[in-house]
Amino acid sequence: MTYVKDPVLTFSDEENLFRESVRDFCQKYIAPKWVEIDEEAYKDKWKLPVDLIAKMGEQGLFAIPCDPKYGGQGGTYTMATIAIDEIAYADPAVALAVYALLNNGWPWMLQYLGNEGICQEIIPQVAKGKGFFGIATTEPQGGSDIAGTTMTAKKKGNVYVFNGEKAYISGVGETFKALPWGGGFFLTARTGGPGHKGLSSFAFMPRKNGKLKPGVTPTVYDDIGRTGLSTGGWACKDMELEEEYLLGKEGMGFYNVMEGFNAARIVVAAATIGGSRWLLEQAVQWFAQRKLFGGRSIASFQGVAFPFAELYTRFEAARYFVYRAARLFDEIYIKKNPNFKPRDLNVPVSMAKMCGPETAVDLAEEVMKWYGAYAYTRECPVYKAWLGLFSYCIGAEGAQNIMRYIIARDTIGTEIVKA
């Protein structure tokens, strides 16, 4: 299909070359296999694409914004966003895109808050595709209420002792079993009293060097989509973690994870625009071949062409929001521009996370309607994109109405919105 030329959202020569290299890799190794990966994992939830993850690590698709001294690529967050956009275009079920976004955003937060020793231990394994590092805040009672976290981490000598449960966490199968090294999660737990000031953040490492820590029991769920990436949870019963895995200071966990969500939501939204781009192209290809009423393309009818035009417009808006947020992230954290503060990300990031998933899901539903009965068969892969992209309307890195609340709070004013 023909895309509108964009003089506003431009990329440097280095960024364009990077996109081309990522696209070439993805079209060679991911695009031909994404349906097979999804099918195999749907039948066997432990059938995860470990070999392809390792190959993605060799290509440098993980820890892109992390320092090379930790095995990272020394790139920008915009480059990480470009990579996730291209991976999702090649895998519109977004399993590999979500794996990659987690292993870019949260290793960066580990580098931002962690000590030298744990960064040297964890990030190189993630960068190589041998280990995983994601996010673990959600508990069985809900995900958006971070201040209501119930998992405890009590200090005992030089260790923290964890008790409680985490649920609906991406990467559990990879961390606890599939990947050779193991991995962990940016995790919030209660080290103090009630409320958000009683929380601390940790590099929670249940398995490393192929060995599982005692006191933790994982579960992997049977998801309805995005099955090339596992989702699950675990229960801790007196699991011990050394004190050096505390991230930042005690009592700052709520603030740490909120800052981390601003990083993660950018690449989440990038995955949805990559999937949207694939859907748009599927629609145009279908319009070219689907004829009726004397040989007319279905796109000759306004009932099809006008919704397509509206969805394409929403896609362009979402794409702008995503890359605007990524550029601003780089100004704040990479370039350290004193004219911007971390809080300045709140609204741009929330707009990207609000618009990207909802546009992608609405687009997937319309494409399935345009395809007709064929879209309701397993032979048509569009439903795989629909299910995968829908996971980011349900929640993940913040529910959609949380995005609306943040936008309203930071534009109208906290005192008015909370009144």
Side-chain angles (χ1 to χ4, degrees):
M1 61 177 287
T2 301
Y3 290 92
V4 175
K5 291 183 178 180
D6 189 351
V8 177
L9 189 63
T10 58
F11 297 92
S12 67
D13 290 343
E14 181 185 12
E15 289 167 341
N16 284 325
L17 286 170
F18 177 74
R19 184 185 291 277
E20 288 176 14
S21 70
V22 175
R23 182 177 295 167
D24 289 346
F25 174 88
C26 291
Q27 292 305 305
K28 183 176 180 180
Y29 294 105
I30 296 177
K33 292 195 66 176
W34 76 274
V35 172
E36 176 188 338
I37 288 168
D38 192 78
E39 285 290 328
E40 289 184 353
Y42 179 76
K43 296 171 186 174
D44 179 359
K45 61 189 176 184
W46 292 105
K47 187 72 172 177
L48 300 168
V50 175
D51 292 343
L52 184 51
I53 288 169
K55 194 176 289 293
M56 292 170 71
E58 293 171 6
Q59 181 68 15
L61 298 180
F62 308 134
I64 291 169
C66 292
D67 196 307
K69 72 178 180 178
Y70 302 131
Q73 307 306 315
T76 63
Y77 215 74
T78 298
M79 294 173 77
T81 303
I82 288 168
I84 305 309
D85 183 355
E86 291 298 328
I87 295 167
Y89 175 73
D91 172 20
V94 300
L96 289 166
V98 175
Y99 183 97
L101 74 85
L102 290 165
N103 288 283
N104 275 287
W106 295 104
W108 190 90
M109 285 303 299
L110 174 62
Q111 174 183 293
Y112 182 61
L113 291 167
N115 63 55
E116 184 75 12
I118 65 168
C119 289
Q120 289 285 3
E121 177 187 40
I122 299 168
I123 298 175
Q125 300 298 330
V126 173
K128 294 172 188 174
K130 295 182 178 179
F132 179 90
F133 195 77
I135 174 66
T137 54
T138 306
E139 297 186 348
Q141 72 275 10
S144 294
D145 182 16
I146 304 297
T149 295
T150 60
M151 176 174 276
T152 59
K154 300 298 183 184
K155 189 75 179 291
K156 181 181 178 182
N158 63 351
V159 300
Y160 286 89
V161 182
F162 287 78
N163 284 282
E165 295 182 58
K166 294 293 179 182
Y168 308 109
I169 308 299
S170 295
V172 171
E174 289 82 352
T175 297
F176 282 86
K177 182 178 179 180
L179 292 174
W181 187 76
F185 305 85
F186 190 109
L187 177 142
T188 51
R190 190 161 300 283
T191 54
H196 70 280
K197 293 184 178 180
L199 299 176
S200 299
S201 52
F202 298 86
F204 182 82
M205 302 300 294
R207 179 172 169 260
K208 59 181 182 177
N209 298 316
K211 296 180 180 179
L212 187 67
K213 274 185 170 286
V216 58
T217 305
T219 301
V220 173
Y221 307 146
D222 290 308
D223 287 341
I224 62 172
R226 208 185 69 180
T227 53
L229 171 71
S230 70
T231 306
W234 62 84
C236 288
K237 177 66 175 176
D238 296 330
M239 192 201 107
E240 296 184 355
L241 185 71
E242 294 79 4
E243 61 184 353
E244 57 262 33
Y245 290 91
L246 175 71
L247 297 176
K249 297 179 181 179
E250 272 200 15
M252 293 298 292
F254 179 85
Y255 304 100
N256 293 341
V257 80
M258 289 299 114
E259 201 165 356
F261 280 145
N262 266 351
R265 287 166 183 162
I266 296 169
V267 280
V268 164
T272 66
I273 64 169
S276 291
R277 187 155 50 93
W278 181 84
L279 286 162
L280 286 165
E281 295 189 1
Q282 300 309 298
V284 170
Q285 291 174 23
W286 183 251
F287 296 158
Q289 68 185 70
R290 183 71 173 101
K291 310 290 184 182
L292 70 167
F293 303 123
R296 294 176 60 183
S297 166
I298 60 170
S300 67
F301 298 94
Q302 292 179 357
V304 173
F306 283 13
F308 178 89
E310 291 168 3
L311 287 162
Y312 178 81
T313 301
R314 288 173 60 190
F315 159 75
E316 285 281 3
R319 179 174 175 270
Y320 173 77
F321 291 149
V322 168
Y323 283 104
R324 175 194 178 193
R327 294 287 196 215
L328 182 55
F329 186 98
D330 286 339
E331 289 293 326
I332 295 167
Y333 291 102
I334 306 296
K335 298 179 182 179
K336 303 188 186 305
N337 186 331
N339 295 314
F340 300 103
K341 296 179 173 61
R343 186 180 177 87
D344 294 330
L345 272 171
N346 289 353
V347 171
V349 166
S350 297
M351 290 194 298
K353 172 62 167 62
M354 185 183 78
C355 292
E358 293 176 11
T359 298
V361 170
D362 289 349
L363 178 56
E365 290 180 359
E366 286 301 316
V367 172
M368 291 177 73
K369 292 174 188 174
W370 296 331
Y371 269 56
Y374 174 52
Y376 208 66
T377 68
R378 294 188 67 85
E379 285 72 23
C380 178
V382 174
Y383 81 94
K384 293 181 183 295
W386 175 49
L387 288 171
L389 293 163
F390 188 53
S391 69
Y392 280 109
C393 278
I394 292 173
E397 269 80 359
Q400 291 301 93
N401 280 342
I402 295 295
M403 302 305 106
R404 289 175 168 85
Y405 173 77
I406 293 169
I407 295 165
R409 180 197 66 195
D410 282 25
T411 53
I412 297 170
T414 301
E415 295 306 316
I416 297 174
V417 171
K418 282 190 174 182

